[in-house]
């Protein structure tokens, strides 16, 4: 396993895009969050302003950068045919998936930690963002789960392009449908099952009664999506020809 | 060009993806959650608003003190006071109206002309629901309405001696015998909930207004001497709504309390129903699919090295790019056109059977929605193709295209404050979503006109032009790289 890990780490480390994408994650997340906190003013005394969530607005873009990084890790092996070599070297195929997941999680957790902490610090310049562990820690985990989810999808569809299309579609479908739907019961249902809409409850620090899920339950829904995707990927990787 | 068409047609995944894009748009459009009728969920409860003289749906609800005018005549009054009541205390909404009206019958939706003072919009002369002309910006005034045949003239005065004409209008539907008199109404109070990122919504509620009229005088063929008081269009929806009250019948002074609105029906926070644009919500998913196909159509050539064969067969590289763009654009256009046509017509059926009121739109608007959806998909496919040629990396190109076209739209619809949302939908390729707007914005109707309610900042064709411009920029970049760089 350590050999597989080392080979996957080398692949990730030496791909020219990786460092840029991780840097992009940090810059995009902090930048958009800073902008959002800077331009927002609360004119009504009772406006539903959640400073923590506001300072984390950049995650909307940051998660896409994470997804690109994750789908390229698997998708590019298929587009170059490298996957055949990888699987020949490691006949126990699920270890390849596990190794990829592990080497992806480390750098993503690190960069996401910087991005989320930076967003909160940047947000404190304009809004009274409290230092709270749950949203910060939870959002870092959220980004890691998005990365693993994208990785699993790329392994299932065997193409970076199609995988990123599906990830983006899932990111957007639930909030857009919820915005267009009139029926409150359906809105709640949509927000509860969408991987991003459910997971993003973790960023919220307002009254949990108004949320679709309690923060950690919401993250649990995303974790279920991720686990299901990775499991399917493992089974398909084992069964199919590469 | 035929070679490019064959390439697109014969890759099974791509050939399947384009119809799939159409199917996805249709499925999203027929999604079961979009229901509810004037806030009431459930089927077969569709509420149909009154229809005005031009067939446009209207709201026609106000307190009226009237007499029959059998022929020509005029009526003069001084609006001495106009006060209002909101759900949470006293307050006057900007479009509270009080003044004089000549109306065909007391039936809601019948032809009318009225001169009025308003809460904060000065003196106005309005007729047949959609027409509005401003007079002086003064809160209170003397008003006079004169009827001569089918012509109604509205005048205003500061002192009751010097009169200025606000407007002269023709009401062709007016019978010889009409009802005329004093009216008061006060529309739903609506304002946007917050100026922030995060949860968006509208706040507000019903309101009512009370006007004190004085120095009432009539000349001409008026019948009877008593003013009949009635709340036209059912009881009002004001906070403490009672009957129109006050004043001695037959005297020169009269107090009237009313609630409602005399205006075209709008969709959105202060309106009823949902616009037909809602059925096109799935467009974003179709756009993602055509972006993926467009990018792969370009980057696939590089991945397989096919580009070298292509360019050897057609050394004039610009023509290769043009042919690819034409094929991708046409394929996307057809997919969008078919999906749009199905979803606009079938979606309306589904929504109506769910009890959702959908304002009627002209055929030209329907055709614009359908063709516009096709144009959006076609242009976005070309944008994806151009970015694929430019960046040559499929995942990066797809992300760039989707982030440019759809992310601003999503953010505008969910978390951005209105000012920022308007800018996002002006300058980014997402401006093209304006081509799908079907709701009509009326300056004289208080409503929350924001993107999330279906009111885009740009006009439909201007919005599409923004996407055309971005696609042209991307194509020039792709051309430059194709001609200058090695394949």
């Amino acid at each position: 396993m350590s050999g597989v890990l080392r080979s996957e780490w080398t692949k990730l480390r030496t791909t020219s895009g990786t460092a840029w994408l991780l840097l992009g994650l940090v810059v995009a997340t902090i930048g958009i969050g800073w902008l959002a906190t800077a331009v927002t003013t609360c004119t009504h005394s009772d406006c539903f302003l959640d400073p923590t969530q506001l300072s984390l607005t950049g995650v909307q873009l940051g998660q896409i950068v994470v997804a690109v990084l994750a789908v390229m890790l698997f998708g590019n092996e298929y587009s170059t045919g490298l996957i055949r070599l990888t699987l020949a070297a490691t006949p126990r195929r699920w270890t390849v998936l596990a190794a990829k997941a592990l080497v992806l999680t480390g750098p993503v957790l690190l960069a996401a930690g910087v991005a989320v902490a930076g967003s909160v610090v940047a947000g404190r310049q304009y809004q009274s963002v409290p230092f709270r562990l749950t949203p910060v820690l939870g959002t870092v985990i959220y980004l890691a789960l998005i990365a693993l989810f994208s990785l699993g999808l790329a392994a299932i569809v065997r193409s970076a392009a199609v995988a990123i299309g599906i990830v983006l579609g899932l990111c957007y479908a639930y909030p857009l449908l919820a915005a267009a739907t009139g029926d409150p019961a359906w809105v709640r249902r949509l927000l509860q099952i969408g991987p991003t809409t459910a997971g993003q409850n973790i960023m919220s620090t307002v009254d949990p009664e108004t949320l679709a899920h309690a923060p950690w339950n919401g993250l649990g829904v995303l974790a279920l999506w991720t686990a299901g995707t990775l499991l399917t990927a493992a089974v398909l990787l084992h069964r199919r020809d590469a | 060009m035929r070679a490019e068409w064959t390439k697109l047609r014969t890759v099974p995944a791509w050939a399947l993806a384009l119809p799939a894009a159409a199917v996805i748009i249709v499925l999203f459009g027929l999604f079961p959650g979009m229901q509810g009728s004037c806030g009431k969920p459930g089927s077969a409860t569709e509420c149909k608003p009154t229809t005005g003289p031009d067939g446009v749906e209207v709201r026609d609800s106000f307190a009226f003190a009237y007499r029959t005018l059998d022929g020509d005549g005029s009526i003069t009054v001084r609006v001495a006071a106009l006060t209002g009541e909101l759900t949470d205390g006293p307050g006057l909404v900007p479009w509270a109206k009080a003044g004089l009206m000549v109306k065909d019958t007391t039936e809601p939706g019948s032809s009318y002309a009225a001169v009025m003072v308003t809460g904060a919009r000065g003196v106005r002369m309005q007729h047949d629901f959609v027409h509005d002309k401003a007079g002086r910006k003064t809160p209170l005034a003397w008003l006079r309405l004169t009827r001569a045949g089918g012509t109604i003239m509205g005048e205003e005065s500061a002192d009751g001696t010097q009169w200025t004409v606000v407007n002269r209008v023709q009401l062709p539907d007016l019978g010889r015998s009409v009802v005329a008199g004093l009216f008061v109404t006060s529309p739903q109070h609506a304002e946007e909930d917050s100026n922030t990122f995060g949860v968006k919504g509208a706040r507000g509620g019903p309101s009512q207004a009370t006007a004190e009229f004085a120095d009432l005088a009539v000349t001409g063929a008026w019948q009877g001497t008593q003013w009949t008081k009635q709340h036209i269009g059912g009881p009002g929806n004001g906070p403490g709504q009672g009957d129109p009250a006050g004043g001695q019948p037959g005297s020169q002074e009269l107090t009237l309390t009313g609630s409602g609105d005399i205006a075209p029906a709008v969709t959105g926070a202060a309106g009823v129903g949902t616009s037909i644009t809602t059925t096109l919500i799935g467009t974003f998913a179709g756009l993602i699919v055509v972006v993926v196909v467009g990018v792969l159509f370009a980057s696939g050539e590089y991945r397989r090295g096919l580009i070298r064969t292509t360019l050897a067969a057609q050394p004039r590289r610009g023509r290769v790019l043009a042919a690819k763009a034409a094929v991708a654009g046409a394929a996307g256009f057809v997919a969008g056109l078919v999906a749009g046509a199905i979803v606009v017509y079938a979606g309306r059926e589904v929504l109506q059977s769910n009890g959702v009121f959908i304002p009627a739109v002209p055929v030209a608007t329907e055709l614009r929605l359908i063709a516009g959806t096709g144009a959006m998909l076609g242009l976005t496919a070309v944008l994806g193709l151009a970015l694929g040629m430019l960046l040559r990396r499929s995942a990066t190109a797809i992300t760039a295209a989707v982030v440019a076209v759809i992310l601003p739209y999503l953010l505008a619809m969910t978390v951005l404050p209105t000012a920022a949302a308007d800018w996002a939908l002006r300058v980014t390729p997402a401006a093209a979503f304006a081509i799908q707007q079907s709701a009509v914005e009326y300056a004289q109707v208080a409503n929350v006109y924001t993107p999330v309610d279906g009111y885009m900042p740009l006009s439909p064709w201007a919005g599409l032009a923004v996407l055309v411009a971005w696609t042209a920029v991307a194509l020039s970049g792709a051309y430059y790289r194709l001609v200058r760089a090695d394949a």
Side-chain angles (χ1 to χ4, degrees), chain A residues 16-17 36 39-44 46-49 54 57 60-61 64 68 71-72 79 160-162 164-165 168-169 172-173 175-177 179-183 186 190, chain B residues 28 31-35 41 191-197 199 203 278 281 284 288 292 296 303-304 393-396 398-399 402-403 406-407 409-411 413-415 452:
Chain A
S16 62
V39 301
T40 296
T41 49
C42 194
T43 45
H44 291 292
D46 57 342
C47 65
F48 309 105
L49 184 61
L54 182 67
T57 308
Q60 302 291 348
L61 189 58
I64 295 172
V68 171
V71 298
M72 298 241 273
S79 65
V162 177
I164 195 70
L168 292 172
Y172 297 144
L176 274 177
L177 264 185
T181 300
D183 188 341
W186 270 100
L190 284 168
Chain B
F28 273 102
F31 184 74
M34 292 171 199
Q35 56 183 5
E191 67 178 293
E192 207 185 341
D193 200 12
S194 65
N195 189 27
T196 64
F197 283 74
V199 185
R203 50 203 264 140
T278 312
I281 182 70
F284 80 92
I288 293 179
V292 172
L296 288 180
R303 196 204 299 171
R304 311 251 181 257
R393 283 190 155 208
S394 45
T396 317
I398 289 169
T399 309
V402 171
V403 164
I406 299 167
L407 187 63
Y409 173 67
L410 172 81
L411 291 179
M413 298 301 264
T414 51
V415 295
V452 74

Side-chain angles (χ1 to χ4, degrees), chain B residues 310-322 479 482-483:
Chain B
T310 309
L311 293 180
Q314 177 51 270
R316 289 172 63 188
R317 297 183 173 188
R319 293 181 71 167
V320 172
L321 184 65
Y479 175 75
L482 188 66
V483 171

Side-chain angles (χ1 to χ4, degrees), chain B residues 84-329:
Chain B
E85 188 89 16
L86 305 178
T87 28
D88 50 357
L92 193 61
V93 294
W95 278 107
K97 299 164 184 162
L100 302 171
M101 180 188 289
V102 169
K103 194 167 169 69
D104 191 30
T105 65
T106 55
E107 197 61 34
S110 69
S111 182
Y112 77 95
V115 65
M116 68 201 76
V117 298
T118 55
R121 299 284 184 259
V123 175
R124 316 293 288 209
M125 171 114 183
Q126 299 184 346
H127 69 284
D128 285 356
F129 303 98
V130 294
H131 307 285
D132 174 49
K133 184 151 188 244
R136 277 185 310 137
K137 266 199 92 59
T138 170
L140 299 171
W142 288 73
L143 302 171
R144 177 182 288 160
L145 206 57
T146 309
R147 185 215 177 172
T151 308
I152 314 287
M153 181 172 68
E155 291 168 284
E156 57 162 318
S157 167
D159 49 14
T161 51
Q162 294 271 349
W163 289 90
T164 335
V165 175
V166 184
N167 201 7
R168 252 188 213 90
V169 301
Q170 296 288 332
L171 297 184
D173 295 346
L174 224 53
R176 176 180 162 76
S177 179
V178 297
V179 289
L182 309 156
F183 80 96
V184 175
T185 193
S186 180
Q188 287 249 11
H189 154 65
E191 67 178 293
E192 207 185 341
D193 200 12
S194 65
N195 189 27
T196 64
F197 283 74
V199 185
K200 285 220 281 199
R203 50 203 264 140
S207 68
Q208 70 178 22
T210 301
E212 288 168 29
F213 296 101
D215 303 314
L216 177 60
V218 295
T219 60
W222 295 81
Q223 308 295 305
T225 54
Q226 296 287 318
W227 295 95
T228 311
K229 288 181 180 173
Q230 189 183 342
H231 208 292
I232 306 290
N237 57 356
Q241 180 58 39
D243 296 320
Q248 289 294 319
S251 83
Q252 288 194 333
E253 288 179 9
L254 206 115
T255 304
L256 208 54
T257 298
S259 173
D261 203 5
I262 312 167
V266 292
T267 54
V272 291
T274 183
S275 75
I276 190 72
T277 304
T278 312
T279 59
L280 289 164
I281 182 70
T283 307
F284 80 92
L287 289 176
I288 293 179
V289 175
V290 296
V291 160
V292 172
V293 172
V295 166
L296 288 180
F297 194 39
S299 65
E301 296 246 356
Y302 287 94
R303 196 204 299 171
R304 311 251 181 257
L306 179 64
I307 188 75
R308 286 186 285 275
T309 316
T310 309
L311 293 180
Q314 177 51 270
R316 289 172 63 188
R317 297 183 173 188
R319 293 181 71 167
V320 172
L321 184 65
K324 283 185 108 62
V327 167

